[in-house]
């Protein structure tokens, strides 16, 4: 790997000296007297501790993040503490507290609940730690310096556009019967994905092209507590038994791949033709289902790209350059947060092989299933 301390060793060593000359006792306490303190990001040195706090390992993307962060931080010469909190907010709060106690210089955080980390992160910020949101926004606090994510509104728009395209391709002329699913309501992405999708779908609901037969069009009705596939499947079972005994369901908006497979399984078990279903994450199992024609689409947001972007931020900190410039901002309820936004990609059977052409493992899955 090209990066980190090989070329930067001298700068990093100098930075470490500067830090220790400031009488460091874990935090950076009073070393910034007189300077503009709004942008005093930490300067990293080899061996520094980086804490990564992930919400859970329940979907493929978070398992990958767990592995890739461990490997990449280690290779870059940092002391990595990478933990996942099993979707339990108090776990995540205490894991982050422990990272602060262990002297983390940077925290990389994918929150379970976007609004529940304010006080622990304010404590981190007060001791000079740089805080980067990962994949999900950290809300209602000034204690966040930037967020790395794939555009969440854009992701939702892509899911809805793929759903419309699939309906036209596979279900003849409209109107089309559809249902709407959203992710876990504590996760700020869930609302943003849904808002992005509804900006595309609502006009088509209004003009009668799409009919939500259950009438459940609010986020609160569509949401899936904790992103739990089993809960989504039960909701789909009751929607089908309550509304579709004499109707065909044509399509379903799904916020990610796990929930997409739960929806498709429910429809199959109810004796329906397979509806057109959207997804997210390009999980291996869903790639197999897209190859075999069972799931219509997914949106790819490669974990490696998000981790690479995060490592680039650390490189900039190690070079003493502060945070790199972000390409977007978002209001988190307390401030405009710099967003390092990456571009998601819609994947259907049409571009599946092209998109994964360089990935032998995924090409093997595709070839085994098409
Ligand atoms: C992530 C998705 C993931 C979901 C559930 C979201 O915040 O963006 O990639 O599927 O959480 O884990």
């Amino acid at each position: 790997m090209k990066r980190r301390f090989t070329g930067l060793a001298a700068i990093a060593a100098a930075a470490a000296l500067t830090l220790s000359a400031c009488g460091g006792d874990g935090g950076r306490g009073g070393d910034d007297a007189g300077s503009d303190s709004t942008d005093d990001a930490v300067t990293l040195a080899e061996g520094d501790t980086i804490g990564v706090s992930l919400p859970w390992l329940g979907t493929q993307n978070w398992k990958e993040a767990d592995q890739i962060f461990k490997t990449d931080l280690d290779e870059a010469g940092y002391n990595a503490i990478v933990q996942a909190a099993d979707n339990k907010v108090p776990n995540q709060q205490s894991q982050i507290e422990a990272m602060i106690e262990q002297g983390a210089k940077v925290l990389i955080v994918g929150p379970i609940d976007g609004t529940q980390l304010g006080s622990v992160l304010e404590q981190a910020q007060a001791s000079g730690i740089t805080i980067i949101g990962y994949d999900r926004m950290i809300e209602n606090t000034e204690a966040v310096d930037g967020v790395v994510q794939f555009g969440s509104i854009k992701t939702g728009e892509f899911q809805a556009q793929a759903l419309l395209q699939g309906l036209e391709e596979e279900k003849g002329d409209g109107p089309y019967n559809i249902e709407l699913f959203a992710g876990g309501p504590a996760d700020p992405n869930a609302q943003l994905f849904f808002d992005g999708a509804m900006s595309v779908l609502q006009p088509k609901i209004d003009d009668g092209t799409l009919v939500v037969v259950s009438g459940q069009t609010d986020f609160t009705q569509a949401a899936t507590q904790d992103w739990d596939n089993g809960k989504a499947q039960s909701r789909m079972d009751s929607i089908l038994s309550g509304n579709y005994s004499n109707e065909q369901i044509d399509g379903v908006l799904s916020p990610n791949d796990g929930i997409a497979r739960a929806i498709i399984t429910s429809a199959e078990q109810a004796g329906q033709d397979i509806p057109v279903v959207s997804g997210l994450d390009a999980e291996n199992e869903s790639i197999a289902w897209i190859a075999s024609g069972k799931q219509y689409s997914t949106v790819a947001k490669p974990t490696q790209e998000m981790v690479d972007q995060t490592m680039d931020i650390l490189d900039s900190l190690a070079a003493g350059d502060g945070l790199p410039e972000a390409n977007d901002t978002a209001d988190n309820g307390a401030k405009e947060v710099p967003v390092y936004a990456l571009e998601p990609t819609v994947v259907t059977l049409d571009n599946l092989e092209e998109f994964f052409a360089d990935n032998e493992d995924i090409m093997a899955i595709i070839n085994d299933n098409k």
Side-chain angles (χ1 to χ4, degrees):
M1 261 206 167
K2 60 175 184 349
R3 61 162 55 105
R4 321 316 157 195
F5 291 99
T6 40
L8 295 172
I11 303 169
L17 271 179
T18 316
L19 271 183
S20 54
C22 292
D25 55 346
R28 300 204 313 132
D31 65 341
D32 60 353
S35 72
D36 172 12
S37 63
T38 53
D39 190 26
D40 63 344
V42 70
T43 297
L44 290 173
E46 188 159 15
D48 274 349
T49 298
I50 310 290
V52 180
S53 171
L54 305 174
W56 70 326
L57 299 178
T59 48
Q60 185 178 317
N61 62 303
W62 297 112
K63 287 180 206 148
E64 288 168 351
D66 180 66
Q67 287 308 314
I68 300 174
F69 270 123
K70 280 176 182 155
T71 309
D72 287 8
L73 287 169
D74 191 57
E75 271 183 20
Y78 295 111
N79 172 36
I81 308 175
V82 183
Q83 290 179 324
D86 198 22
N87 256 342
K88 297 185 179 70
V89 172
N91 278 2
Q92 187 164 38
Q93 288 164 336
S94 57
Q95 286 177 351
I96 292 174
E97 266 160 29
M99 291 171 188
I100 299 171
E101 273 158 32
Q102 288 166 70
K105 292 274 167 52
V106 175
L107 289 173
I108 296 160
V109 181
I112 295 163
D113 184 324
T115 65
Q116 295 298 313
L117 295 177
S119 56
V120 68
L121 292 180
E122 279 146 29
Q123 188 188 322
Q125 192 177 53
S127 49
I129 297 173
T130 295
I131 300 151
I132 307 295
Y134 175 85
D135 196 334
R136 301 176 175 183
M137 179 56 86
I138 298 165
E139 298 173 292
N140 295 347
T141 177
E142 296 200 359
V144 49
D145 297 296
V147 174
V148 176
Q149 61 181 192
F150 282 83
S152 297
I153 293 272
K154 174 78 75 66
T155 298
E157 290 168 359
F158 279 4
Q159 291 173 328
Q161 285 159 2
L163 175 61
L164 288 177
Q165 178 187 315
L167 289 168
E168 278 164 23
E169 276 175 20
E170 299 198 350
K171 300 289 177 181
D173 292 334
Y176 307 106
N177 292 336
I178 67 158
E179 294 298 333
L180 307 171
F181 281 69
D187 172 1
N189 278 342
Q191 179 80 58
L192 296 174
F193 295 159
F194 193 73
D195 290 349
M198 289 309 273
S199 71
V200 175
L201 299 180
Q202 191 64 54
K204 301 284 181 189
I205 295 173
D206 293 343
D207 75 12
T209 309
L210 302 175
V211 181
V212 181
V213 176
S214 70
Q216 298 179 20
T217 54
D218 288 344
F219 175 72
T220 45
Q221 295 170 308
T224 308
Q225 204 63 40
D226 295 330
W227 289 94
D228 181 329
N229 300 342
K231 289 183 183 143
Q233 190 159 336
S234 307
R235 175 165 175 260
M236 187 66 184
D237 289 346
S238 18
I239 286 177
L240 290 173
S241 63
N243 302 276
Y244 287 84
S245 34
N246 301 309
E247 301 270 5
Q248 270 295 320
I249 183 155
D250 299 312
V252 183
L253 174 75
S254 166
N256 77 355
D257 282 346
I259 291 177
R261 295 192 301 274
I263 289 166
I264 293 165
T265 303
S266 168
E268 275 185 316
Q269 287 173 359
Q272 292 271 341
D273 291 345
I274 293 180
V276 173
V277 182
S278 65
L280 174 68
D281 292 334
E283 290 195 352
N284 294 352
E285 231 178 308
S286 282
I287 287 167
W289 284 32
I290 291 172
S292 69
K294 244 173 122 171
Q295 182 175 328
Y296 179 74
S297 66
T298 187
V299 174
K301 51 185 270 289
T303 306
Q304 184 71 60
E305 277 183 42
M306 256 193 301
V307 176
D308 284 347
Q309 175 64 69
T310 312
M311 297 302 289
D312 286 348
I313 294 173
L314 299 185
D315 279 354
S316 177
L317 294 175
D321 291 341
L323 293 169
E325 203 169 319
N327 55 353
D328 203 357
T329 61
D331 183 353
N332 79 341
K335 72 181 233 187
E336 282 292 318
V337 180
V339 179
Y340 301 87
L342 301 165
E343 270 288 307
T345 308
V346 177
V347 179
T348 67
L349 193 51
D350 282 346
N351 64 343
L352 190 63
E353 292 183 55
E354 188 194 326
F355 188 77
F356 290 110
D358 296 336
N359 188 323
E360 270 177 38
D361 295 342
I362 296 194
M363 285 308 291
I365 296 176
I366 295 170
N367 288 324
D368 284 352
N369 285 279
K370 68 181 183 184

